[in-house]
Amino acid sequence: MPAAAAAMTARYGAGAEPKAGPWNETLAVLMSHRSVRGFRTDAPPEGTLETLVAAAQSAATSSNLQTWSVVAVDRPEVRKEIAAIAGNQKHIEVCPIFLVFLADTSRNGRLAQEAGVELAGLPYLESFLVSSIDAALAAQNTVVAAESLGLANVYIGAVRNDVTRVAELLGLPPGAAPVFGLCIGYPLPGREGEVKPRLPQDAILHRETYDAADSGHRAAYDPRMEEFSRRQEMAGSTWSQRVIARLGTFKALHGREKLKEKIIGLGFPLR
Amino acid sequence: MPAAAAAMTARYGAGAEPKAGPWNETLAVLMSHRSVRGFRTDAPPEGTLETLVAAAQSAATSSNLQTWSVVAVDRPEVRKEIAAIAGNQKHIEVCPIFLVFLADTSRNGRLAQEAGVELAGLPYLESFLVSSIDAALAAQNTVVAAESLGLANVYIGAVRNDVTRVAELLGLPPGAAPVFGLCIGYPLPGREGEVKPRLPQDAILHRETYDAADSGHRAAYDPRMEEFSRRQEMAGSTWSQRVIARLGTFKALHGREKLKEKIIGLGFPLR
C-alpha cells in the first residue's frame, strides 16, 4: 500500500518506518497531522463548529462525568489579550475559530449543590487530572474532525502562562480552569507545513516492561530533526538541543512555575 | 444528509440535535464511539499495533517534547494483577491488545543527564500536566485509529487506583507514571453497545464567556440517561444520580485519594 508506506516515511523518516499494517482514510487523516500557525480569516461553512463539538463530545469521558467545557472566543479584544499572554502568538487573533478547553468540575458541583450534597471526591488531584484528560480527549477529537474537513489547527498550551487572567477574561466559575487553547481555520497558502518527524517507534512503544535503553534512538532522530528544522525554520537544532532549551531553564516556564497555586486558586484544591 | 442527522440524534437524543454541518467518513467514526467491555480474544492483523502507535505519535505533543510512552502488556499474570487493581475488570485479561499510557518525562531527563544539564523546568505541576495531556492526545488518536479499523476499546482510568504498583509491574523509571490503560479488540457479538447520549451541546459549548445557567440541560438529559441505562444495564438512574454516586463519597475514590503522594513518589515533584 503506497499511501500507508509514504505516511510512515513522512512521520518516521526513511529507514525508520515501523511494520506496515492496515490502512484507510481516517488513518490517512491521523498520520498527516501538522500544526499550522498561518490561517486564512474566512470562516468554515455553517454548522462546522457544532459538528466539531459533537465530535468532541463523542470522545470517552471518565465515568460519563463530562468534566470539561469549551469556550469559543470571538471578541477581538479578548483574543488580543490571550495572544499577548501566550507570548504574542498572532494566529490567535487571526484564526476564524478560537477555542479554550476547560477542565470543568463546576457543572457537577452545581448539580450536587442543588441536591444539597457535597462531592467528597472532588478536592483531589485525581479530579483535576480526570477533567484535564477529559478536555484533552475531547480536544483531540476536535482536531481530527477539523483535519478531516481540511481545517488546520494548533494547540495553544501557552494559555497556561496565566490561567488566572484567562479564567477572568472568560468569566469562569470556581472549579473550571483553562487547560489549553486551539486555533482552527484554513491554512494560508504556503503555511500548510510539513509532517514533523517523531522519535523512532521503539523509543515510545515498550513491550511488557519499560525499556530505558536508548538503543540509538536519539542518534537517529537528532539529525532528522536538525534537517527538518533547518528546512522549516532556517535554524537547525537537534531534538536534544531543543529539549534542553525548552526545559533546561526556569525562565522558559514563562509563568507556569505558578500554575499549581493558580489552579488551586481556581477551585481545584489538588489534595 | 441522513447519516449526519442520525449520528447527531444518537449522540444527543431526538429534539436535542445541534445544527447540522459537513459530514464525512472520519466524522462518522468519531461520532459513533462507544466504550466496549466484551472482547473476542483473536488478535487483529499483523502490523495493527504498530499502525495504532504511529497514529498516536502523529498527535500533537507540547513543544515536540514527546513526554509520553506506552507499554503493551501481554503477560497474563500482569494483566491479572492490573485487572484486580482496577476493581476486577475482566476485559483487561481478555482483550488481545492492552496498553498502559504513561506520562513520561524520564526520556527527556535521561538525555539531559547525558549532556550534564539539569532540567530546571521539570519539577513543576506543569510538566506532569503536559505529559498527561501528551499521553491523552496520543491515546485518543489510538482510539480513533482502532475504531476506524472496527476495533472496539475502553479506557481504564482505574489503573490510577494504585499507580505505584502498576509502575512496579511495568518496571517504570523515575519520571514515568501510568495515566490510564486501554483495552482494544474486536467486540463480542451482542457487546458492541450503543452510542451513549451526552449533555446538550449548549451545556458544554460556551460563547465568549462561561454560562453557568443550566437552562434546562439536566432536565432534558436526566431522563434520557435514565432510559439509556435501563436499556443497557437494567438499572435506571439519572445522570445527576450517577454523578453523585461517583463523586459523592470518599470511598468511591478507590485509593485515588493517594494519587498525589504516589505521583510524587514516581518522580514528579508537582511543585
Side-chain angles (χ1 to χ4, degrees):
Chain A
M1 269 170 267
M8 287 289 192
T9 303
R11 186 58 74 191
Y12 290 101
E17 301 89 344
K19 201 185 287 181
W23 193 246
N24 62 38
E25 206 173 301
T26 298
L27 289 166
V29 170
L30 293 167
M31 293 282 305
S32 67
H33 166 76
R34 57 208 86 177
S35 296
V36 168
R37 293 176 181 81
F39 295 98
R40 281 163 34 193
T41 54
D42 53 314
E46 186 127 355
T48 297
L49 176 60
E50 289 78 2
T51 299
L52 297 181
V53 176
Q57 286 191 261
S58 298
T61 148
S62 186
S63 303
N64 197 34
L65 294 174
Q66 305 178 64
T67 53
W68 68 281
S69 287
V70 62
V71 186
V73 180
D74 285 339
R75 280 181 301 163
E77 67 278 16
V78 177
R79 294 264 201 123
K80 198 173 172 178
E81 188 169 347
I82 295 177
I85 288 169
N88 293 314
Q89 298 196 42
K90 267 288 166 197
H91 36 280
I92 295 173
E93 296 180 58
V94 171
C95 61
I97 299 177
F98 179 62
L99 304 175
V100 179
F101 283 84
L102 312 176
D104 185 5
T105 59
S106 79
R107 195 184 303 108
N108 310 73
R110 284 190 294 277
L111 83 81
Q113 200 169 22
E114 272 180 48
V117 177
E118 212 185 318
L119 296 183
L122 266 195
Y124 294 87
L125 174 67
E126 165 71 6
S127 277
F128 177 64
L129 182 60
V130 160
S131 54
S132 299
I133 292 172
D134 266 12
L137 302 183
Q140 188 56 20
N141 263 17
T142 309
V143 162
V144 175
E147 292 183 347
S148 81
L149 296 168
L151 290 161
N153 56 80
V154 65
Y155 281 106
I156 308 293
V159 302
R160 293 193 305 276
N161 291 354
D162 189 353
V163 289
T164 309
R165 181 60 187 149
V166 174
E168 246 168 45
L169 287 166
L170 305 182
L172 303 190
V179 186
F180 45 72
L182 184 64
C183 295
I184 300 174
Y186 297 109
L188 275 178
R191 298 292 296 277
E192 301 87 352
E194 197 186 326
V195 165
K196 188 179 277 183
R198 297 284 195 234
L199 281 164
Q201 191 168 91
D202 288 350
I204 297 285
L205 171 60
H206 304 257
R207 311 273 180 161
E208 304 298 353
T209 54
Y210 193 101
D211 180 6
D214 174 270
S215 314
H217 302 143
R218 266 188 296 124
Y221 185 55
D222 269 342
R224 202 169 284 144
M225 268 310 292
E226 190 174 19
E227 203 183 301
F228 175 86
S229 67
R230 189 165 289 133
R231 215 157 49 224
Q232 290 290 302
E233 306 151 25
M234 315 298 198
S237 49
T238 67
W239 185 65
S240 299
Q241 287 164 343
R242 284 168 168 258
V243 168
I244 289 168
R246 187 72 191 76
L247 294 173
T249 66
F250 183 82
K251 197 168 156 259
L253 283 164
H254 292 295
R256 296 189 218 174
E257 70 279 6
K258 293 192 185 123
L259 183 69
K260 184 180 175 182
E261 70 184 70
K262 289 185 176 180
I263 291 290
I264 292 172
L266 293 177
F268 293 88
L270 304 182
R271 242 173 247 162
Chain B
M1 270 168 264
M8 287 289 192
T9 303
R11 185 58 73 192
Y12 290 101
E17 301 89 344
K19 200 184 289 182
W23 194 247
N24 62 38
E25 206 173 299
T26 298
L27 289 166
V29 170
L30 293 167
M31 293 282 305
S32 67
H33 165 76
R34 56 208 87 177
S35 297
V36 168
R37 293 176 180 81
F39 294 98
R40 284 163 34 193
T41 54
D42 54 313
E46 184 125 358
T48 298
L49 176 60
E50 289 78 3
T51 299
L52 297 181
V53 176
Q57 287 191 262
S58 298
T61 148
S62 185
S63 303
N64 197 33
L65 293 174
Q66 304 179 63
T67 54
W68 67 283
S69 288
V70 61
V71 187
V73 180
D74 285 340
R75 281 180 301 163
E77 67 277 15
V78 178
R79 294 262 202 126
K80 198 173 173 178
E81 188 169 348
I82 294 177
I85 288 168
N88 292 314
Q89 297 195 44
K90 268 286 166 197
H91 36 279
I92 295 173
E93 297 180 57
V94 171
C95 61
I97 298 177
F98 179 63
L99 304 176
V100 179
F101 283 83
L102 313 176
D104 185 5
T105 58
S106 79
R107 194 183 304 109
N108 310 72
R110 285 191 293 277
L111 84 80
Q113 200 168 22
E114 273 180 48
V117 176
E118 211 183 320
L119 295 183
L122 266 195
Y124 294 87
L125 173 66
E126 164 71 7
S127 278
F128 176 63
L129 182 59
V130 160
S131 53
S132 299
I133 292 172
D134 266 11
L137 302 183
Q140 189 55 20
N141 263 16
T142 308
V143 162
V144 175
E147 292 183 346
S148 81
L149 296 168
L151 290 161
N153 56 79
V154 64
Y155 281 105
I156 308 293
V159 303
R160 293 193 305 276
N161 290 353
D162 189 352
V163 289
T164 309
R165 181 60 186 149
V166 174
E168 244 169 48
L169 286 167
L170 306 182
L172 303 190
V179 187
F180 45 72
L182 184 65
C183 295
I184 299 174
Y186 296 108
L188 276 176
R191 298 291 298 277
E192 301 87 350
E194 197 186 324
V195 165
K196 187 179 279 183
R198 297 282 194 233
L199 281 164
Q201 190 167 93
D202 287 350
I204 297 285
L205 171 60
H206 304 257
R207 311 271 181 164
E208 303 299 349
T209 53
Y210 193 101
D211 179 6
D214 175 87
S215 313
H217 302 144
R218 267 189 295 125
Y221 186 54
D222 268 343
R224 202 168 282 144
M225 269 309 292
E226 189 174 20
E227 204 185 298
F228 175 86
S229 67
R230 188 166 287 131
R231 216 158 50 225
Q232 290 289 301
E233 305 151 27
M234 316 296 199
S237 49
T238 67
W239 185 65
S240 299
Q241 287 164 344
R242 285 169 168 257
V243 167
I244 289 168
R246 186 70 191 78
L247 293 173
T249 66
F250 183 82
K251 197 169 156 260
L253 283 164
H254 291 297
R256 296 188 219 174
E257 70 278 8
K258 295 194 184 120
L259 183 69
K260 185 180 173 180
E261 70 184 68
K262 289 185 177 180
I263 291 290
I264 292 172
L266 293 178
F268 292 88
L270 304 181
R271 240 174 249 160

